[in-house]
Amino acid sequence: MRTSFCVAVRPKHGIRREWRSRRLRSAFALFKPSLSGEEPRRLNGEMRWLAGVLGDARNIDVLLAKAKDADLRFKLKDARQGRSTMRSGR
């Protein structure tokens, strides 16, 4: 279910979201002493996951900008929209 988040990441906004997620993660680290129990660990895990998803989306956009092969561009566009053509080997 989490991988469906990729569809919501627009190419030009992906970098900003990635940057904001890093800043938010830093803020959680700063205020960690104020949080109790497992909450800091849970938040850190969620932010790591989000950073990974945003990084994957950014990587697809970078590859798409550089790709010259039409079939590869088609597969990258599908991947950016959350479709699974690259994984299924179509």
Side-chain angles (χ1 to χ4, degrees):
M1 167 136 341
R2 287 183 165 186
T3 55
S4 64
F5 182 79
C6 281
V7 251
V9 178
R10 292 185 167 199
K12 65 182 180 180
H13 301 293
I15 297 295
R16 283 189 226 137
R17 287 184 180 144
E18 189 177 12
W19 176 78
R20 288 177 183 150
S21 73
R22 274 187 259 137
R23 299 239 0 218
L24 185 57
R25 195 166 156 217
S26 295
F28 285 146
L30 179 66
F31 292 104
K32 184 178 178 179
S34 302
L35 301 170
S36 62
E38 289 296 313
E39 196 65 12
R41 184 183 304 235
R42 186 188 70 76
L43 290 172
N44 189 43
E46 290 294 321
M47 294 310 298
R48 281 183 182 269
W49 166 81
L50 181 59
V53 170
L54 293 174
D56 289 346
R58 181 205 60 229
N59 291 343
I60 289 171
D61 288 335
V62 168
L63 289 171
L64 186 58
K66 293 181 178 187
K68 298 194 186 318
D69 180 67
D71 187 46
L72 177 59
R73 289 183 59 77
F74 176 77
K75 289 178 181 181
L76 288 168
K77 285 179 184 179
D78 275 354
R80 185 170 68 186
Q81 293 177 0
R83 299 181 191 136
S84 60
T85 58
M86 292 187 78
R87 291 188 184 122
S88 65
R90 280 190 249 158

